[in-house]
Amino acid sequence: MNNNSKIILDLAVTLDGFIEGPNGEIDWCIMEPEMNFTAFLNQIDAIIYGRKSYDLWGSYTPDDEQENDDQLMWQLIHSKNKYVFTNQTRSNHDQTQFIKPKDMYTTVNDIKTQQQKDIWLYGGSELITSFIKHDLIDEYRLSIHPVVLGTGKPLFENIHKQLNLSHVQTNTFKSGVVQLIYSKD
């Protein structure tokens, strides 16, 4: 058992603070080898999803014509334990557990003790808001993309208290993406 596992919110966000376009678009999201997303995936054992995000991406398989790097990235993602917070009743399967969000704080801390590595909080926005309200995010990794959407799904919604964070690191990439890493105080 490991109590040192961290919950890491790692998300792409537009310059104006959206995590997806008004119709769920993420075509603005830049993935480049320099970002070394594989290193992040190797740092985690598990992924936490909300139900909507899981339904979109939890078992996503890229088309055969997509680059081999994309195929390998998705294989690595799907090799992780998955925890899906949902009010729907679903049966657990393979490495995926569906969890009713009753006592979120206790449940998340139980998940942390079961992992050897860190845990990626994938989202969506409602789940992120719940994690913030329950003070469950240990690290924020926001990759700010050089695009303004004007409308869409905001990163932070219904946060009614100040959250103080400590700057850990800034990474700048050739594409113009700037990754900001913060830990909670």
Side-chain angles (χ1 to χ4, degrees):
M1 293 207 325
N2 177 14
N3 292 324
N4 295 323
S5 292
K6 295 185 293 190
I7 302 290
I8 300 173
L9 174 63
D10 184 298
L11 275 181
V13 63
T14 64
L15 190 58
D16 54 346
F18 295 107
I19 57 175
E20 58 186 50
N23 299 307
E25 307 93 333
I26 58 166
D27 56 348
W28 49 268
C29 189
I30 299 166
M31 287 293 288
E32 61 178 91
E34 181 188 14
M35 293 175 169
N36 201 1
F37 190 60
T38 301
F40 172 71
L41 292 174
N42 286 327
Q43 177 186 337
I44 66 168
D45 271 345
I47 304 171
I48 295 176
Y49 295 91
R51 197 243 341 133
K52 293 175 196 170
S53 294
Y54 176 79
D55 285 349
L56 283 172
W57 301 108
S59 58
Y60 173 80
T61 304
D63 295 332
D64 288 338
E65 57 277 350
Q66 284 190 322
E67 294 182 23
N68 197 37
D69 288 349
D70 286 346
Q71 301 268 350
L72 294 173
M73 178 188 74
W74 282 102
Q75 286 176 6
L76 188 54
I77 288 171
H78 294 317
S79 73
K80 308 299 178 183
N81 294 319
K82 297 176 184 176
Y83 299 92
V84 183
F85 283 84
T86 178
N87 287 311
Q88 293 182 353
T89 300
R90 293 198 181 177
S91 297
N92 295 339
H93 58 83
D94 299 327
Q95 294 170 269
T96 305
Q97 291 183 38
F98 295 92
I99 302 166
K100 299 272 186 190
K102 290 179 232 165
D103 183 1
M104 187 171 280
Y105 187 83
T106 301
T107 301
V108 170
N109 282 306
D110 287 346
I111 291 169
K112 286 173 76 169
T113 62
Q114 297 169 27
Q115 307 308 310
Q116 296 299 311
K117 298 179 181 179
D118 294 329
I119 303 160
W120 178 16
L121 173 58
Y122 184 91
S125 63
E126 289 177 32
L127 186 63
I128 292 167
T129 298
S130 293
F131 270 63
I132 291 171
K133 287 180 177 178
H134 288 91
D135 194 30
L136 291 168
I137 301 173
D138 299 301
E139 186 171 286
Y140 293 75
R141 291 184 187 194
L142 303 177
S143 295
I144 314 300
H145 289 248
V147 63
V148 174
L149 292 181
T151 185
K153 175 73 79 170
L155 171 58
F156 298 116
E157 291 185 290
N158 300 313
I159 305 296
H160 303 292
K161 67 175 185 174
Q162 182 172 321
L163 180 64
N164 295 317
L165 303 171
S166 298
H167 178 255
V168 174
Q169 186 174 340
T170 300
N171 299 312
T172 305
F173 303 103
K174 293 175 194 157
S175 63
V177 172
V178 176
Q179 183 184 58
L180 302 171
I181 302 174
Y182 296 96
S183 64
K184 69 180 180 181
D185 283 341

